[in-house]
Structures are given as C-alpha cells and as structure tokens.
Amino acid sequence: MPQADADMSNGWAVAVRQRRKALLQRLLMGAACALVFSPLLGWTFGLVWVTGYFLIQLIDLIVFAPINTGRATRMPLGRSMAGGLMLVLNGTYFGSLSIPLWIVGGPMGGVCAAIMLSAGAIYSVINAPRSNLVMILTSLGQFLYLTATPFLMLMNGASTNFATAAGIAVGVFIAYCISTWQRMDRSRRSEIKARLDADRRRIEAERVMEGRSAFLAAVGHDLRTPISAILAGSAELEQGAADNTARAHAHLITDAGLMMKALLDDLLDHAKLEAGRMTVEDGDFNLRSLIAQTVRLWQGPARAKGLRLGIEGAAQMPAMVRGDAMRLRQILNNLISNAMKFTDQGTITLVLSAWQDETEGHAVLIEVRDTGPGMSAAQLSRLFTPFDQTAEGVSARHGGTGLGLTISRDLAQLMGGRLTARSTPGQGASFTLSVRFGRSNVVAQPVTALDPAARAVVARSLASTLTAQVAPPAESQVIDIQPVPAAQTEPEPATDDDEGRPLRVLVVDDHDINRRAIQLILQPLGCDVTTAADGMAALTACDAEVFDVIFMDVRMPELDGRETTRRIRSQGGPNAPTPVIAVTADTSAEDIAACMAAGMTYFVPKPITPATLLGAVTHVLSNEADATSPEHETEAA
C-alpha cells in the first residue's frame, strides 16, 4: 500500500510523526518559557521545570519509537494507552506554568499565562494532522487551564462582568481551534485524495503510453517488411525499364516508398520522444568528419536541383569530441533536408563556429542558411508544431507531417542544446543549433583511401545498382565507409576454384518478403543466394556450405538471429569466420551493441534499400575498420 493510502487509513501515525518532526520546536518553546519566566518564578524553579519538560519529551520518543522509526503504523494496546497518557502529560505539564504565574504574578501573571496557553493550544492544533484524538489529547491540558482563567480572575478580585467576558472569550477561542483543525483536516484529506488520484492517472497514462509505444514498435517493425519489398522491387523495375514511361513509373514507386519510410521513422521517433524513451549516448567521434560526410551526402541532390551546398568556418570546429554522433547527424540531415525542400534556387550554407567553454568542453554553433522564400511571423510561431495542417502551416502547404523540425528541436534539448529559427519573407531562413560537446582524449585518425583491390570490390558491388537511388538515404540508411589500408590486411591467395565464382550469400529471415527483397537486389549482381526461414535452418545450411556473407534477421521465433550467430561462431564450423550482417528495425545503441556482442559483423536497418544492402556488402568485403567500435556503430546507424 502506498504511503499516502496508508496515511488515509491511519491518522494516528500521521499525527505522531508530525509531532516528531516538531520536536525541536517544543524543546525551544519550553526552554524559552523557562528562561523568560525564571526572573519572576525563580531560576531554580525554571531549571527544575525545564528539566522535567525535557524528560517528558525523551519518554515520549521512547513510547512512540515504533511509529517514529517507520517500523509500524499501529502499536499494541498497552503501548497505545501509554502513548495517549504521554500526549496528555505533554500538554498538561507545559500548561502547568500558568498556575505559578497566577500565584506569583497575580492578574499580570495571568495575562502571561493566557498568552502562553493560547500559543500551546495553537501548536497542538497545527501539529495533530489527520487525528482528532491526538489533537484533543495534546490540547486538553491547555483548554482546561484556559477554562480555569475566569475563576482565577474572580479569586484575584476581578468583577463578575470581566470574568464572564473572559469565559466567553475562552469558549470562542476553543471553538475556533477545533473548527480550524477541522478545516485543516478537510484540506489535508482533499490534498491527499488529489495526490492519490494524480498518481493513479499518472500510472494509467504510463500504462497507456507503454501500450502505445509497444503498438507503434510492433506496427513499425511489420511495416518495414513491405516497404523493403517496395523499395527493392521499384529499384529493379527502374533499372530494367524498357522506356522512359516505365522508368518514370518505377521512379514514382521508389519516391513513394522512401516517403513512407521517412514518415514511419519520424512517427516512431516522435512517439519515443513523447514517451520519454528517447536517450542520447556519450561517445567519442570526429565532429569535422561527421559534418563533412553529412554535407557530402547531400551534394548530389543539391546539384540535381541546381543549388550550391557549402560550408563556412569548418576550420574552427574541433576534431574529436564526446557526444551523440547519431542524434547530431539526424538533426543535420533534417535541417539540410528542410532547406533543400524549400529552396528552389541559390545556396544552402552551413556556417560553423565553436569555442571552448568553462568546463573544458566545446560550445558549438551550427547554422543552416538557405535562400528560399522565407517565412512569415505566423508561420514561424507554428514552425515546431507537429501535424500542423492550418492554412499557414508549412506541412499543409508543402506536405509531410511537420515532424522533422519538432523531432530535431526535441533531440537538441535532449542533448542539452537548443534549436532556434529566424526568417523574413523573401530573404530565406536560418536554423541555428547550439550544443555543447565534451572534450575527447582520443586522437583523430586520418581517413585512408581505398587501395586498388578494395576499389575493385566496391565497383563490382555497386555497378549499375546505385543509379536507381536518386534521393539521399534517410538517417537510418546512412552507412559511412572508412576501410583500413590494404597493408593492414593480408587476404589469402585465391584458388582456381574461387577465381570468378559468384558471391555465396545466405539470407536468414522468417518473413518471405524480406528474403525475396534481398534476393531481388543481389541476384542481378550474379550472387548465389541461399535462403533459410529460421535459425535452425540457417545452422543446417551453414553445416552444408561455406558462405561469403550471411544476412541474419534479428527478430525470429524460437531461435533469434543473435543466438543463431552465437552458435555459428561457437561451433567452429566452416562459417565461423564468415561476416554476419544483422538485418533489424531496432537501431538504438543498445540493440546495435547486443548484435555486436553476439558476434555480428555489421548491420543494415529495415526497411532495406539497395543502397544500404550493397553498402553493407561493400563494408564487410573490403575489410573496413572494426565495426564493433562505439564510434563506428554510431556512424553506421
């Protein structure tokens, strides 16, 4: 049972714990009274009285120890009776100072006693929440002494009228204390009830969000399969089209498939951000290289549209930094894509600046400027609103969900940065990303060029295939290739049997569409493709034949891709050293790390496109840098 729920059913424990919290106040109030009244009553009397008061507080702590320490909310009957006695004794002993004040000080002492008793009664009311029994027991002594005030006044020569007025005043005061406690109690109960309701609603909302996240993940995973088939099939249709009309139709299907993939990725990212499940990583990466690679990716589409894409201030940027390279690349891709979408002529420029901050990190500003039509103030105010389909909304006028900029802003905030926008109609727009990266102790390594042998592999793999890809790949499709020099790898000499033979590929996937999509991409290149519908069939195939590359679906029933890969590696068969490329829709850093830990060499994200598939083949066949390094895992995503 939650603490608040327990408190609703056991006000005694709540009031006792509140009195324990106010112990220091009681001690200070007792010491102050003894000090103030000692000149009137005598220092010896004051010392004896305050010693007795402190002793009562000590016994009070011992009696209520089970509740004060949280070990129990109820006590045995005997201990409860002792506790009630201590509550009465506490208030009665404190109020007992009023008697000597009347005796020694007369009417003036009585005034002091009335003030002291009123303060004690108010203290008892405030520090007895949720339990009228605790309030009555602790204030009983104060109320009795106050009730005696009119009689003490008569004994000291006051008139009947004054004594009657005092009696009425005492009655009003006691009634006020009781009604005040009742109002406070109702307020406390309402607050606790509201807190319980809020907790229940929060738990229900979290349950709904978890269910929606799971639903979106499942739907997203299932949708990637037909999208993969659409992209693979349209690429083959476009490549083999007999005339311009057929090629245009195939190109239209490709564009629609890429748009579906982009929308699906945006929706899943938006759902993750809403659910608070999006995380950022902290790893070393080359900032200059990442920016240069991202811009290089968009140079082709920019030239095709007649635009000039450039960078200013690259020399100011630090090389190696610590941060989340994948999220930064995603933001840059969204900003450049947005600028390309709205700019028909002119330039798109990345203006870079950086400086060291006081924490020995790097403060980085990346501004993406375009020469597009610009935006009005009304459009700027709704710029980061998802699904904005109003008349002035950007998504309504230019298509899309409007999620790209919203996701970029949220990712920037998640990284501890900020994304802002400035624009004037007719003068283009400017988006500025400000973010801080930590200092890296890793020395940047120069990127080496492909040696001739590796270039031949790349050429054979990509021949007449990438021409079908007009638009740049989305974020999850970017595969950065940085092969090591040929001097670092010593390939075994080819035998006569291997010379000229086709590339032997095993495709493992429980879904027939995915297997056929990969076959459709690889078979025109002359690859010998074998398929397996599950992990057990893959193990059987690996025992019967040696493969050059294995494509392994990660999510499969019974024996998943990771466990299948572990068995291939551990059994020491002919395919133990064969590169295994994971095919997965889960591209978070944790999922990638789990694939690498299982022995997988590389991965391609779903939906599969010819570019990503052949890029992965090129990667593993050209003996690139170790794909299990954190930096490479991030760049591959």
Side-chain angles (χ1 to χ4, degrees):
M1 177 184 294
Q3 183 64 46
D5 216 356
D7 290 348
M8 287 289 288
S9 62
N10 194 356
W12 169 276
V14 177
V16 168
R17 283 196 293 267
Q18 177 61 35
R19 290 186 72 258
R20 171 63 183 86
K21 295 176 183 178
L23 174 62
L24 182 60
Q25 297 177 10
R26 292 202 302 275
L27 295 176
L28 291 176
M29 190 162 57
C33 289
L35 180 64
V36 169
F37 297 134
S38 288
L40 181 62
L41 305 176
W43 291 102
T44 302
F45 177 85
L47 181 61
V48 172
W49 183 88
V50 77
T51 302
Y53 186 72
F54 281 14
L55 181 61
I56 291 174
Q57 306 311 311
L58 177 60
I59 298 173
D60 185 287
L61 286 176
I62 295 173
V63 171
F64 289 110
I67 293 179
N68 289 332
T69 57
R71 296 197 305 268
T73 56
R74 298 181 183 276
M75 299 190 301
L77 179 60
R79 200 174 188 116
S80 296
M81 293 179 64
L85 180 62
M86 289 306 304
L87 293 177
V88 174
L89 182 60
N90 215 310
T92 304
Y93 187 87
F94 180 80
S96 64
L97 267 180
S98 61
I99 302 300
L101 284 173
W102 272 102
I103 294 174
V104 176
M108 294 298 101
V111 172
C112 296
I115 296 174
M116 181 194 70
L117 292 171
S118 299
I122 293 174
Y123 171 88
S124 299
V125 168
I126 293 175
N127 289 283
R130 304 285 313 292
S131 176
N132 53 7
L133 178 61
V134 173
M135 188 274 293
I136 291 172
L137 293 179
T138 54
S139 59
L140 180 62
Q142 325 288 345
F143 290 161
L144 290 176
Y145 289 124
L146 282 171
T147 304
T149 299
F151 301 101
L152 294 172
M153 290 174 62
L154 290 173
M155 293 173 57
N156 283 270
S159 66
T160 304
N161 291 336
F162 276 110
T164 301
I168 294 173
V170 168
V172 170
F173 177 75
I174 293 174
Y176 171 78
C177 287
I178 295 174
S179 64
T180 299
W181 181 89
Q182 290 174 339
R183 287 196 299 271
M184 292 173 61
D185 183 62
R186 285 195 296 269
S187 177
R188 290 189 186 102
R189 289 179 181 274
S190 298
E191 179 184 353
I192 292 173
K193 186 176 182 300
R195 189 167 69 247
L196 288 173
D197 290 341
D199 288 342
R200 293 190 189 98
R201 286 194 296 270
R202 176 182 55 79
I203 293 172
E204 290 175 0
E206 289 176 352
R207 189 179 298 115
V208 169
M209 291 299 295
E210 288 176 359
R212 190 176 73 168
S213 298
F215 171 76
L216 286 174
V219 171
H221 186 274
D222 292 340
L223 283 177
R224 292 177 192 274
T225 294
I227 292 176
S228 297
I230 291 171
L231 292 175
S234 63
E236 291 302 314
L237 287 174
E238 187 172 355
Q239 182 180 346
D243 52 44
N244 290 336
T245 301
R247 191 174 297 107
H249 290 165
H251 186 65
L252 178 63
I253 298 173
T254 299
D255 286 346
L258 291 172
M259 182 179 295
M260 289 171 62
K261 179 190 179 302
L263 292 174
L264 176 62
D265 290 340
D266 283 349
L267 286 171
L268 292 177
D269 281 346
H270 182 65
K272 278 187 177 181
L273 286 164
E274 272 197 334
R277 295 185 179 275
M278 186 74 79
T279 59
V280 295
E281 303 297 324
D282 188 26
D284 297 303
F285 69 96
N286 192 319
L287 179 59
R288 291 183 184 178
S289 175
L290 183 146
I291 295 174
Q293 292 160 0
T294 304
V295 172
R296 193 179 303 122
L297 176 72
W298 289 94
Q299 288 288 3
R303 284 194 296 269
K305 198 174 181 181
L307 302 174
R308 186 165 60 86
L309 178 60
I311 302 178
E312 295 181 4
Q316 301 181 34
M317 304 302 285
M320 298 301 299
V321 296
R322 284 191 65 82
D324 194 325
M326 183 173 70
R327 300 304 176 200
L328 175 62
R329 191 193 294 270
Q330 185 174 356
I331 295 173
L332 291 180
N333 274 333
N334 280 337
L335 295 182
I336 298 175
S337 173
N338 185 73
M340 291 275 294
K341 184 177 183 179
F342 297 107
T343 305
D344 293 328
Q345 58 183 358
T347 62
I348 298 172
T349 308
L350 271 71
V351 182
L352 312 176
S353 59
W355 60 92
Q356 292 187 3
D357 61 16
E358 64 278 2
T359 59
E360 297 187 350
H362 301 280
V364 175
L365 287 180
I366 302 176
E367 184 180 1
V368 180
R369 299 176 183 171
D370 63 58
T371 56
M375 290 174 284
S376 65
Q379 289 173 325
L380 272 176
S381 66
R382 289 190 296 271
L383 188 61
F384 296 104
T385 302
F387 311 108
D388 183 13
Q389 298 294 332
T390 60
E392 290 295 320
V394 173
S395 60
R397 297 176 60 191
H398 298 276
T401 61
L403 286 175
L405 290 177
T406 303
I407 292 171
S408 298
R409 179 201 59 188
D410 294 343
L411 287 176
Q413 293 175 351
L414 203 61
M415 296 167 65
R418 187 182 180 192
L419 179 63
T420 56
R422 300 191 311 274
S423 182
T424 302
Q427 298 183 21
S430 173
F431 292 83
T432 303
L433 171 66
S434 59
V435 66
R436 180 194 172 279
F437 295 110
R439 182 181 295 276
S440 173
N441 295 322
V442 178
V443 178
Q445 298 294 328
V447 179
T448 56
L450 285 172
D451 67 299
R455 285 183 183 276
V457 174
V458 175
R460 285 196 302 271
S461 298
L462 300 182
S464 69
T465 303
L466 294 183
T467 54
Q469 301 299 314
V470 177
E475 177 63 25
S476 62
Q477 294 176 287
V478 177
I479 296 183
D480 180 49
I481 301 175
Q482 295 182 357
V484 299
Q488 297 183 16
T489 58
E490 295 294 338
E492 297 180 0
T495 64
D496 292 338
D497 293 337
D498 290 337
E499 186 68 28
R501 70 168 176 80
L503 193 71
R504 289 191 288 258
V505 180
L506 173 62
V507 179
V508 187
D509 200 300
D510 63 318
H511 207 297
D512 180 59
I513 289 180
N514 282 334
R515 298 196 300 271
R516 287 160 54 195
I518 297 177
Q519 278 184 290
L520 191 63
I521 297 171
L522 295 179
Q523 282 181 339
L525 298 177
C527 297
D528 183 4
V529 181
T530 302
T531 62
D534 54 50
M536 296 305 298
L539 293 176
T540 302
C542 286
D543 290 337
E545 185 178 356
V546 179
F547 298 99
D548 298 299
V549 179
I550 299 174
F551 284 95
M552 183 74 68
D553 184 28
V554 174
R555 289 191 181 185
M556 293 187 294
E558 297 183 9
L559 197 65
D560 64 23
R562 293 170 187 163
E563 181 59 30
T564 304
T565 304
R566 290 190 190 96
R567 296 191 184 186
I568 292 174
R569 300 297 190 215
S570 62
Q571 290 175 359
N575 288 285
T578 302
V580 178
I581 300 175
V583 181
T584 176
D586 303 317
T587 57
S588 67
E590 296 82 2
D591 293 312
I592 296 170
C595 290
M596 300 305 172
M600 294 178 168
T601 312
Y602 202 60
F603 79 97
V604 291
K606 292 181 180 180
I608 303 167
T609 65
T612 57
L613 194 73
L614 297 177
V617 174
T618 302
H619 177 87
V620 297
L621 292 183
S622 58
N623 294 314
E624 293 186 2
D626 184 5
T628 62
S629 66
E631 177 186 349
H632 201 94
E633 292 169 17
T634 304
E635 290 181 351

